[in-house]
Amino acid sequence: MWKQKSLNFIRLQCLSKRFLQRSARRQQYGWKRVDRVGLLRTNIAKRALVMKNCPGFHNQMLWYSTSVPHSMNAKPDNVIRNHAENKATQLTLKEIVEFSSPERFMEFASFIKRELPVRISHRVVELESLPYNLSDMPRFEWKCKCQSHEFSFVINKQNSILKLRNMYQLGFHLIRSLPEPIDNVSLATFVKGVESHFKTLANATEWLAAGITECTIHHPSQASQVRTCKFLNGFLDRFHASRIGTRLLTGQLCALYAQYYDSDGKPKAIKSGKSGALGIIDHNCSPKEVLQWAVDDASRMCHENFGKVPEVNIIDEQHIRFTYIPTHLHYILLELLKNSMRATCEHHKDLDESKLPPIEAIIVGSSASNEVTIKLCDQGGGIPKDNLDKIWLYSYSTVPPKDAKTKATPMAGLGYGLPLSRLHAQYFGGHLGVVSMHGYGTDAFLYLHFLISQ
Amino acid sequence: MWKQKSLNFIRLQCLSKRFLQRSARRQQYGWKRVDRVGLLRTNIAKRALVMKNCPGFHNQMLWYSTSVPHSMNAKPDNVIRNHAENKATQLTLKEIVEFSSPERFMEFASFIKRELPVRISHRVVELESLPYNLSDMPRFEWKCKCQSHEFSFVINKQNSILKLRNMYQLGFHLIRSLPEPIDNVSLATFVKGVESHFKTLANATEWLAAGITECTIHHPSQASQVRTCKFLNGFLDRFHASRIGTRLLTGQLCALYAQYYDSDGKPKAIKSGKSGALGIIDHNCSPKEVLQWAVDDASRMCHENFGKVPEVNIIDEQHIRFTYIPTHLHYILLELLKNSMRATCEHHKDLDESKLPPIEAIIVGSSASNEVTIKLCDQGGGIPKDNLDKIWLYSYSTVPPKDAKTKATPMAGLGYGLPLSRLHAQYFGGHLGVVSMHGYGTDAFLYLHFLISQ
């Protein structure tokens, strides 16, 4: 039964030449794999041999799909598809600030009740149309040698991207099942539900990265193609940019609820105004303080990994404060500092902590250019010219995977740090640039807009 | 007679709406300008009024041509046109070095004898097809007030671009008339002729810039359009890149002749080898020494203009030496230093010389990346965000024209410095980048290839 159902989902787009040849050899010598996917592959190979003679069949294309049992590969239902046809409503930071007043908080919650299912439905639909078999690929795990005997196991298991898609599907139905926030009781239930969804999907980036890594491990010949694939990098850009926006809304809802309501769900007596924190937004965000926070975090990780930490000198003569989201700024600065500290320690392996060249940080604001610029200069040896274009690719990392398996908090590994930092900067119209002097060091320039007139 | 001939050259492409309206008003009120071009314009306006009703006539287009007497606007003859159909032969620095040995010098001279007319013919043909009337526009000069009386003079005169084109035409025929370099006597005559042409066209960039400035002065409404015109900026890029290559060849010929032959045209006794200077190429070019040379020149200009000079700290721990053309490097570094020193002095008007923030220069070489990087950091206040894209446009300058009329050597004004510096860097595959922190300063990054393995 499952076989019949799953066959319905075989979307044979194209088969690689090597796969065709291998399948043909298997048939010729009577050798067949006995696992379920093996049987299905034989069928696919038969179809492909017919298709190969069709005009327009391009045997270098690698976008083919194998199949997994139906239960693992459930398609989004029509409710999700219908929601995905609506556009997400983009809000500026100014609009979010206006929405965040105590008077309009219920309205903000209602907006999120309508908006979240639309945004989640986009994620579900996008996650089922990935190239390189990423949306459907079952995860194989095998061990080859044990006490000089060879064993092989094939385990058919849900892969990380499929798992993530299912989480989004569950989240979609959860949010829709929550009550409309119209009074304190329904608001409390709604916010708790949103918070649960927010926490469940906290590691979505890691799952997505794991899914892509699984693909490159199972298909090593595709690895470099997957990493440099423009379509996939473009998808990841859109996916994460959209995720940043959605988590900004849900994070703001939860933070404001904690600010405006007590633990019993009753409104607190609070003053409305533009000073200080407003949910996750800070009207007095000090880049210097956030930088110091990131320096503390990066220093701890650096000490765990290298036993020494380069000094960070911060220059902020204007004592800048502006309206921004400190967690976004912290994310970007932590990524940059982790890279700079790691590069400095690795480039100056033989130097003691006291002799490590310091990282120079300069913070400048310009009302004429309507922006804050933060420059971080390290002397960590820079980036080789050939790798400079790759630093913005997802899954590109200068650290080999094995290095990321130490007990210490890894300082690098996924290769998502820089592209995600740039997305965070770009979300409100800013920019992140990296300039390298190979043999000396790297300068990172972070430009952030004054989002609300200071 | 001249009028009939010149009418043949009227290439009426399009007339601006404003010009049409003005011409129509003139006819309505019986007011006419009495100068030759005025009469011609009336004719053009009549034609344009007819054309205006034709389908496809786009009255916002500004590419129209007035006419000047034939003698001033002579078209290149067929010999030049035939030469312009040939492609220029591009040489790498390695090939030029190989050509520059004493044994192959005569061969090099013969190559230049064949190559120069082709390259010059391209310049002549390109200079006659410029948009915005630049190729034909006569230069008007008038004075409006003198002792409270109003006078107006209209002087019909050759414009700077026309003058430049005629110089190239003369140069073309001069080079062709020179003897084929086959022995010491003919070589001496040939090199002297090339040297004369080389010197005559030393200010070609200034003439071209002057021609464009004249256009913007006579047609103020077109000024911003001319400055940002992609076609014109692209033409100027190609023109100057090609000019850099041609002057590299002719400069190398003259320098090598002085190196290999005495003043009587007899060969000197010299050693062939890869050490030291080879014409204008230096196998032991030290970026630090060239930077110091540029610092001296820029400091002199800065002192003349501002009475104070910021310090320049140079870090070159690797004591780099590589094969390059010191004059190219000097050109780029002088432009960057002039900008940095001027910005520093203007941004810190009230500070004494001893308190001016220094310009930091770092020189690093990387054999892995096969390049030398030179970074110049100033604290001159940076570039406003809105102007950052414009710095690579020709004719864009942060200095108003009147400031460039002081007695001191002007430190800026034409607006050709940065785009020409980038072209010099790009000529052998290098790159020049500028990153600004508005409110603080600007960092310039110059990347130059190791052209011959060091």
Side-chain angles (χ1 to χ4, degrees):
Chain A
M1 183 62 187
W2 69 262
K3 204 193 284 183
Q4 188 54 45
K5 276 190 181 174
S6 61
L7 274 170
N8 297 336
F9 291 104
I10 295 174
R11 285 166 294 114
L12 181 61
Q13 287 165 306
C14 225
L15 272 164
S16 75
K17 198 177 177 182
R18 287 183 64 186
F19 180 61
L20 280 173
Q21 288 168 342
R22 210 161 51 219
S23 303
R25 270 204 305 277
R26 282 177 190 170
Q27 287 178 317
Q28 190 182 346
Y29 297 111
W31 183 89
K32 276 187 184 180
R33 290 174 75 178
V34 289
D35 61 275
R36 291 168 173 180
V37 175
L39 281 168
L40 286 166
R41 280 195 174 170
T42 315
N43 290 331
I44 295 165
K46 278 179 191 167
R47 282 205 197 185
L49 286 168
V50 177
M51 279 187 73
K52 202 186 166 187
N53 299 318
C54 297
F57 180 84
H58 190 262
N59 59 15
Q60 287 304 313
M61 291 284 287
L62 287 163
W63 286 25
Y64 64 91
S65 294
T66 59
S67 171
V68 288
H70 182 223
S71 59
M72 291 184 193
N73 195 13
K75 296 282 158 185
D77 53 43
N78 280 340
V79 186
I80 294 183
R81 291 207 177 280
N82 290 342
H83 270 78
E85 280 171 16
N86 298 314
K87 273 194 174 180
T89 309
Q90 301 297 333
L91 295 185
T92 64
L93 191 64
K94 204 176 172 185
E95 285 166 334
I96 297 173
V97 167
E98 284 166 6
F99 248 147
S100 299
S101 65
E103 299 79 27
R104 296 188 67 189
F105 182 63
M106 200 70 83
E107 195 187 333
F108 184 47
S110 292
F111 166 76
I112 289 177
K113 172 83 173 97
R114 287 193 309 277
E115 182 67 11
L116 263 190
V118 174
R119 294 190 176 210
I120 299 172
S121 67
H122 291 165
R123 299 295 82 72
V124 177
V125 172
E126 279 171 353
L127 282 172
E128 74 153 353
S129 53
L130 292 181
Y132 299 107
N133 209 20
L134 283 165
S135 306
D136 307 308
M137 191 188 63
R139 189 163 71 180
F140 300 153
E141 286 180 4
W142 61 84
K143 285 183 179 181
C144 285
K145 277 193 174 182
C146 180
Q147 293 175 350
S148 77
H149 291 282
E150 282 201 2
F151 294 96
S152 67
F153 305 92
V154 179
I155 301 160
N156 206 342
K157 203 175 163 186
Q158 210 177 21
N159 84 338
S160 302
I161 290 177
L162 205 53
K163 199 171 149 188
L164 178 62
R165 198 184 69 186
N166 291 347
M167 298 294 259
Y168 272 116
Q169 287 203 37
L170 288 173
F172 173 85
H173 293 296
L174 167 79
I175 301 293
R176 286 192 77 231
S177 70
L178 293 174
E180 183 71 29
I182 44 169
D183 52 27
N184 289 349
V185 179
S186 56
L187 180 68
T189 316
F190 176 70
V191 172
K192 270 183 194 166
V194 170
E195 200 169 6
S196 144
H197 169 74
F198 183 79
K199 284 178 182 168
T200 309
L201 283 157
N203 296 322
T205 299
E206 284 75 9
W207 289 340
L208 202 49
I212 294 168
T213 307
E214 284 159 22
C215 172
T216 57
I217 290 170
H218 299 139
H219 303 284
S221 60
Q222 286 186 35
S224 71
Q225 216 172 341
V226 169
R227 282 197 197 100
T228 55
C229 173
K230 276 192 182 177
F231 176 84
L232 188 59
N233 274 280
F235 158 77
L236 289 168
D237 260 343
R238 288 191 304 278
F239 180 90
H240 285 114
S242 175
R243 187 170 176 265
I244 290 167
T246 308
R247 289 185 75 77
L248 174 67
L249 287 183
T250 48
Q252 179 70 350
L253 180 87
C254 300
L256 281 177
Y257 187 78
Q259 198 171 337
Y260 293 159
Y261 292 81
D262 61 20
S263 54
D264 300 328
K266 288 176 188 165
K268 291 181 193 171
I270 39 132
K271 284 178 189 173
S272 172
K274 265 200 171 184
S275 62
L278 186 73
I280 58 170
I281 299 164
D282 189 354
H283 283 302
N284 279 314
C285 176
S286 155
K288 189 181 179 181
E289 285 169 16
V290 179
L291 184 57
Q292 193 55 58
W293 170 23
V295 167
D296 295 343
D297 289 348
S299 299
R300 185 179 45 76
M301 293 183 205
C302 188
H303 195 268
E304 282 176 17
N305 282 271
F306 298 98
K308 57 185 180 182
V309 183
E311 204 183 342
V312 181
N313 300 326
I314 305 175
I315 299 171
D316 174 26
E317 289 177 356
Q318 295 163 291
H319 306 290
I320 291 168
R321 286 186 178 272
F322 71 130
T323 302
Y324 210 77
I325 297 155
T327 47
H328 279 201
L329 189 52
H330 176 264
Y331 181 91
I332 303 167
L333 293 173
L334 180 60
E335 280 303 328
L336 296 177
L337 283 167
K338 272 158 58 183
N339 287 341
S340 286
M341 286 187 179
R342 187 172 58 81
T344 305
C345 290
E346 285 179 352
H347 190 61
H348 302 278
K349 273 179 190 162
D350 306 328
L351 293 187
D352 293 337
E353 184 171 278
S354 60
K355 286 177 184 167
L356 282 178
I359 294 163
E360 304 289 343
I362 300 166
I363 303 166
V364 184
S366 159
S367 51
S369 284
N370 197 36
E371 69 185 7
V372 174
T373 314
I374 304 172
K375 173 179 160 186
L376 289 177
C377 306
D378 68 55
Q379 294 179 39
I383 303 160
K385 196 174 60 181
D386 293 343
N387 293 347
L388 213 51
D389 289 338
K390 295 181 197 157
I391 60 169
W392 302 113
L393 293 177
Y394 292 86
S395 308
Y396 171 77
S397 174
T398 49
V399 182
K402 57 176 182 179
D403 285 13
K405 284 180 183 169
T406 56
K407 280 183 185 176
T409 318
M411 291 191 75
L414 272 185
Y416 275 43
L418 274 182
L420 279 186
S421 296
R422 186 167 65 171
L423 280 187
H424 274 87
Q426 286 171 341
Y427 192 77
F428 290 118
H431 178 61
L432 174 64
V434 169
V435 190
S436 157
M437 291 180 79
H438 191 211
Y440 183 80
T442 307
D443 292 1
F445 293 84
L446 173 64
Y447 299 90
L448 301 171
H449 280 200
F450 285 143
L451 295 166
I452 293 168
S453 56
Q454 305 300 306
Chain B
M1 182 62 187
W2 68 262
K3 204 193 283 181
Q4 187 53 44
K5 277 190 180 173
S6 61
L7 274 171
N8 297 336
F9 291 105
I10 295 175
R11 285 166 294 115
L12 181 61
Q13 287 164 305
C14 226
L15 272 163
S16 76
K17 199 178 178 182
R18 286 184 65 185
F19 180 61
L20 280 172
Q21 288 168 343
R22 210 161 50 220
S23 302
R25 270 204 305 278
R26 282 177 190 170
Q27 287 177 317
Q28 190 183 345
Y29 297 111
W31 183 89
K32 276 187 184 179
R33 291 174 75 176
V34 288
D35 61 276
R36 291 166 174 182
V37 175
L39 281 168
L40 285 166
R41 281 195 172 170
T42 315
N43 290 332
I44 295 164
K46 278 180 191 166
R47 282 204 197 184
L49 286 168
V50 177
M51 280 186 72
K52 202 186 166 187
N53 299 318
C54 296
F57 180 83
H58 190 262
N59 59 15
Q60 288 303 314
M61 291 285 286
L62 287 163
W63 286 25
Y64 64 90
S65 294
T66 59
S67 170
V68 289
H70 183 223
S71 59
M72 291 183 192
N73 195 14
K75 296 281 158 185
D77 53 43
N78 280 340
V79 186
I80 295 183
R81 291 207 177 279
N82 290 342
H83 270 77
E85 280 171 16
N86 298 314
K87 273 194 174 179
T89 309
Q90 301 297 332
L91 294 185
T92 63
L93 191 64
K94 203 176 173 186
E95 285 167 333
I96 297 173
V97 167
E98 284 166 5
F99 248 147
S100 299
S101 65
E103 299 79 27
R104 295 188 67 189
F105 182 63
M106 200 69 84
E107 195 187 333
F108 183 47
S110 292
F111 166 76
I112 289 178
K113 172 83 172 96
R114 288 193 309 277
E115 182 67 11
L116 263 190
V118 174
R119 294 190 175 209
I120 299 172
S121 68
H122 291 164
R123 298 297 82 71
V124 177
V125 172
E126 279 171 352
L127 282 172
E128 74 153 353
S129 53
L130 292 181
Y132 299 107
N133 209 20
L134 283 165
S135 305
D136 307 308
M137 191 188 64
R139 188 163 72 180
F140 300 152
E141 287 181 3
W142 61 84
K143 285 183 179 180
C144 285
K145 277 194 175 182
C146 180
Q147 293 175 349
S148 77
H149 290 282
E150 283 202 2
F151 294 95
S152 67
F153 305 91
V154 179
I155 301 160
N156 206 342
K157 205 176 162 186
Q158 211 177 19
N159 85 337
S160 301
I161 291 177
L162 205 54
K163 199 170 149 189
L164 178 63
R165 198 184 68 187
N166 290 347
M167 298 295 259
Y168 272 116
Q169 287 204 37
L170 288 173
F172 173 85
H173 293 296
L174 166 79
I175 301 293
R176 287 192 76 231
S177 71
L178 292 174
E180 184 71 30
I182 43 169
D183 52 27
N184 290 349
V185 180
S186 56
L187 181 68
T189 316
F190 176 70
V191 172
K192 270 183 194 166
V194 170
E195 200 168 7
S196 144
H197 169 73
F198 183 79
K199 285 178 182 168
T200 309
L201 284 157
N203 296 322
T205 299
E206 284 75 9
W207 289 339
L208 202 49
I212 293 167
T213 307
E214 284 159 23
C215 172
T216 58
I217 290 170
H218 300 139
H219 303 285
S221 60
Q222 286 186 34
S224 72
Q225 217 171 341
V226 169
R227 282 197 197 100
T228 55
C229 173
K230 276 192 181 174
F231 176 84
L232 188 59
N233 274 280
F235 157 77
L236 289 168
D237 260 345
R238 288 191 303 278
F239 180 91
H240 286 113
S242 175
R243 187 170 175 264
I244 289 167
T246 308
R247 289 185 75 78
L248 174 67
L249 287 183
T250 48
Q252 179 70 349
L253 180 88
C254 300
L256 281 177
Y257 187 78
Q259 198 171 338
Y260 294 159
Y261 292 81
D262 61 21
S263 53
D264 300 327
K266 287 176 188 165
K268 291 180 192 171
I270 38 132
K271 284 177 188 172
S272 173
K274 265 200 171 185
S275 62
L278 186 73
I280 58 169
I281 299 164
D282 189 354
H283 284 302
N284 279 314
C285 176
S286 156
K288 188 181 179 180
E289 285 168 16
V290 179
L291 183 57
Q292 193 54 59
W293 169 24
V295 167
D296 295 343
D297 289 348
S299 299
R300 185 179 45 75
M301 292 182 206
C302 188
H303 195 268
E304 282 176 17
N305 282 272
F306 298 98
K308 57 185 180 183
V309 184
E311 204 183 342
V312 181
N313 300 326
I314 305 174
I315 299 172
D316 174 26
E317 289 177 356
Q318 295 163 291
H319 306 290
I320 291 168
R321 287 186 178 272
F322 71 130
T323 301
Y324 210 77
I325 297 154
T327 47
H328 279 201
L329 189 52
H330 176 264
Y331 182 91
I332 303 167
L333 293 173
L334 180 61
E335 280 302 329
L336 296 177
L337 283 167
K338 272 158 57 182
N339 287 341
S340 286
M341 286 187 180
R342 186 171 59 79
T344 304
C345 291
E346 285 178 352
H347 190 61
H348 302 279
K349 273 178 190 163
D350 306 328
L351 294 186
D352 293 337
E353 185 172 278
S354 60
K355 286 177 183 167
L356 283 178
I359 294 163
E360 304 289 344
I362 300 166
I363 303 166
V364 184
S366 159
S367 51
S369 284
N370 198 36
E371 69 185 6
V372 174
T373 314
I374 304 173
K375 173 179 160 185
L376 289 177
C377 306
D378 68 55
Q379 294 179 38
I383 303 160
K385 196 174 61 181
D386 293 342
N387 293 347
L388 213 51
D389 289 338
K390 296 181 197 157
I391 59 169
W392 301 112
L393 294 177
Y394 292 86
S395 308
Y396 171 76
S397 174
T398 49
V399 181
K402 57 176 181 179
D403 285 13
K405 284 179 184 169
T406 55
K407 280 183 185 175
T409 318
M411 291 192 75
L414 272 184
Y416 275 43
L418 274 181
L420 280 186
S421 296
R422 186 167 65 171
L423 280 186
H424 274 87
Q426 286 171 341
Y427 192 77
F428 290 118
H431 179 61
L432 174 64
V434 169
V435 190
S436 157
M437 291 180 79
H438 192 211
Y440 183 79
T442 307
D443 292 0
F445 293 83
L446 173 64
Y447 300 90
L448 301 171
H449 281 200
F450 285 143
L451 295 165
I452 294 167
S453 56
Q454 304 301 306

